[in-house]
Amino acid sequence: MALATCMGAALVSCSDAGSGGAGPAAGRSSASPTADARLARLAQQAADTGSLGVIARVDSGDGKPVEIAQQAAWTEADYRIAADDRFRVGSNTKTLTATLVLQQVAEKKISLDDTVEKWLPGLVEGAEDATVRMLLNHTSGLGDFLLTPEFLPSLTGQEKRTWTPQELLAITPGQDPPAEPGETYSYSNANYEALGLILEKATGTSLAELIEKRITEPLGMEDSFLATSADWDAETAEEAGDETTGTQHVSGYEPNAERLRAILSGTVDLPEGVGFTGPERSEDTVDTSAVDPSWSWAAGGMVSTAQDWQRFLTALISGELLPEGQMKQMRTTVDAPEEGGGYGLGLMRVDTSCGTVWGHTGGLPGYSSEIYTDASGRHSVAVLTSTNFGIKDEKAATANKALVEAATCQMLGKPHPSQSPAG
């Protein structure tokens, strides 16, 4: 159970020799060529220190985004990373799911005060009296199925099993320590599995269809879709009805069992041999691209690109997707220090060294991401990293954090942290 707890915590939030890949793209932000070059150096440093593959995209709102793709040299044998590659954005999906729910609230098909029991009778034990609002802001009283021994083998790829949302809710425990609905913030993927089911019941439409009709198609997000398997072949995507452009999908990596045990040694002692499954790669790493993410569904199942997701997030925050009343509700937060600030309805408020940003983080085996916009929705930043546990190592975490901070500050029009007078 300790292993599951440690892995679960890392996967629900990621805010914590040789040069490969491409440098900055031809577009430049209003920051300066010097700042752009420094951002590229930080991206390469992060890749070489443990992030392995990095995509950083900064849109300062002047029509000339900075796009950077860097990778550790040994990963080039698998693929050459590009700034427009498709990527598993994990829990950033929660912002999209919340947007769909709030659209239904605006249309009076769902109320934020509706109980779970009203929509899903007998399905969510222990949270019958929790409301839709509580599911959205993680105060429902539910724990997370990620932390259960039943699910852990699927999380690591040791067991190939297709989970339904109903099955995942059936193994979801209560919060530990126990909490009444509405009492305590506790991040849980189960909340969003329930919300996905509520959406489908309220609309009579599948979640994948809702996403396409309400979000990706209107916004022209051609490389974004809800994953139903770990097969990223473009032909397979076309057969599934996904309107993608055929761009490649980023390979994801994790430390092998021995190195994972060393990285987590200060937190938990892993049993011998426990770790992620996948083909062995260089530097005691395994390729986790074949680990099936479909279980994450409404909680984390979206595949997208940096540009596509920034397009969604800026459209949302600038008011294109929700009426003012629902947008206000979405940005009403509960305290969530572990997320760097507060948590609203599927939306994180993160207080950075250069100012407050809005967005979400994401983590799946082999993938972590941070995607934010400013309060106006005119500027945005995405940092996508092709490992999750690989950046839990202290040096790797430091390099990744420096990149995210610099990219966020550049998005906000502020100097990179080390360039400020106090830096």
Side-chain angles (χ1 to χ4, degrees):
M1 187 61 173
L3 167 61
T5 302
C6 180
M7 286 190 161
L11 284 163
V12 296
S13 178
C14 63
S15 42
D16 246 36
S19 174
R28 290 292 183 268
S29 75
S30 58
S32 75
T34 301
D36 296 349
R38 181 173 184 271
L39 200 61
R41 289 196 300 272
L42 287 170
Q44 187 63 59
Q45 182 179 352
D48 291 338
T49 309
S51 294
L52 302 183
V54 173
I55 294 170
R57 190 174 188 276
V58 180
D59 190 340
S60 300
D62 59 4
K64 298 177 180 179
V66 177
E67 295 180 320
I68 295 167
Q70 305 282 33
Q71 66 192 112
W74 68 262
T75 65
E76 292 179 10
D78 288 340
Y79 72 108
R80 287 296 297 258
I81 195 168
D84 62 350
D85 282 352
R86 297 202 298 269
F87 192 94
R88 301 177 208 181
V89 297
S91 287
N92 286 284
T93 304
K94 291 181 173 66
T95 306
L96 185 150
T97 299
T99 300
L100 292 172
V101 171
L102 288 167
Q103 286 178 342
Q104 298 303 311
V105 171
E107 295 171 18
K108 302 193 182 306
K109 294 179 181 177
I110 297 174
S111 168
L112 289 175
D113 296 322
D114 285 345
T115 63
V116 171
E117 187 66 11
K118 172 183 175 178
W119 286 104
L120 307 175
L123 195 59
V124 189
E125 186 177 348
E128 295 89 347
D129 295 331
T131 64
V132 170
R133 187 194 309 275
M134 294 171 192
L135 294 175
L136 287 163
N137 67 12
H138 298 292
T139 61
S140 67
L142 286 175
D144 203 315
F145 54 82
L146 283 180
L147 316 185
T148 63
E150 297 97 325
F151 184 73
L152 184 58
S154 296
L155 182 65
T156 60
Q158 294 171 328
E159 178 182 75
K160 295 188 182 301
R161 172 176 173 178
T162 300
W163 289 85
T164 66
Q166 292 88 343
E167 289 171 336
L168 292 170
L169 288 169
I171 63 170
T172 296
Q175 282 183 24
D176 185 17
E180 292 296 319
E183 189 174 274
T184 307
Y185 171 84
S186 181
Y187 192 102
S188 170
N189 289 285
N191 290 322
Y192 278 75
E193 298 287 331
L195 286 166
L197 292 175
I198 290 172
L199 271 171
E200 291 192 335
K201 191 167 184 180
T203 63
T205 306
S206 74
L207 180 62
E209 274 188 274
L210 282 174
I211 290 169
E212 183 178 355
K213 291 179 180 179
R214 294 257 181 172
I215 307 291
T216 59
E217 190 173 284
L219 293 180
M221 297 168 64
E222 296 183 352
D223 280 301
S224 302
F225 59 93
L226 189 67
T228 56
S229 73
D231 189 345
W232 312 114
D233 184 84
E235 185 178 342
T236 301
E238 289 173 9
E239 290 173 357
D242 297 315
E243 303 254 344
T244 64
T245 61
T247 55
Q248 70 178 353
H249 187 287
V250 171
S251 294
Y253 304 94
E254 292 296 358
N256 65 12
E258 184 177 353
R259 192 158 71 88
L260 182 65
R261 187 165 61 251
I263 289 173
L264 300 180
S265 62
T267 307
V268 63
D269 293 326
L270 299 188
E272 186 71 29
V274 172
F276 293 98
T277 59
E280 294 183 5
R281 292 293 186 260
S282 297
E283 300 184 2
D284 300 323
T285 300
V286 297
D287 185 334
T288 57
S289 304
V291 176
D292 187 354
S294 62
W295 59 267
S296 56
W297 195 52
M302 286 297 292
V303 173
S304 190
T305 64
Q307 181 176 3
D308 266 10
W309 208 262
Q310 286 173 273
R311 182 177 296 154
F312 158 65
L313 196 56
T314 54
L316 172 65
I317 301 300
S318 64
E320 288 184 38
L321 299 177
L322 290 175
E324 184 177 348
Q326 279 64 51
M327 198 66 240
K328 183 178 179 181
Q329 294 275 12
M330 189 177 226
R331 290 169 69 159
T332 301
T333 63
V334 295
D335 287 340
E338 57 268 53
E339 316 302 352
Y343 200 99
L345 305 187
L347 192 66
M348 290 179 180
R349 187 196 78 240
V350 180
D351 302 320
T352 77
S353 60
C354 288
T356 297
V357 294
W358 296 86
H360 216 285
T361 61
L364 284 171
Y367 303 89
S368 60
S369 53
E370 298 190 46
I371 309 175
Y372 304 118
T373 181
D374 68 341
S376 70
R378 290 193 295 268
H379 315 103
S380 60
V381 62
V383 178
L384 316 179
T385 306
S386 63
T387 185
N388 192 351
F389 284 88
I391 55 172
K392 307 309 173 188
D393 173 81
E394 186 176 354
K395 289 184 179 179
T398 299
N400 183 265
K401 181 179 179 181
L403 170 62
V404 173
E405 285 188 350
T408 302
C409 289
Q410 187 162 324
M411 180 266 287
L412 293 170
K414 304 287 182 64
H416 292 178
S418 66
Q419 296 174 299
S420 65

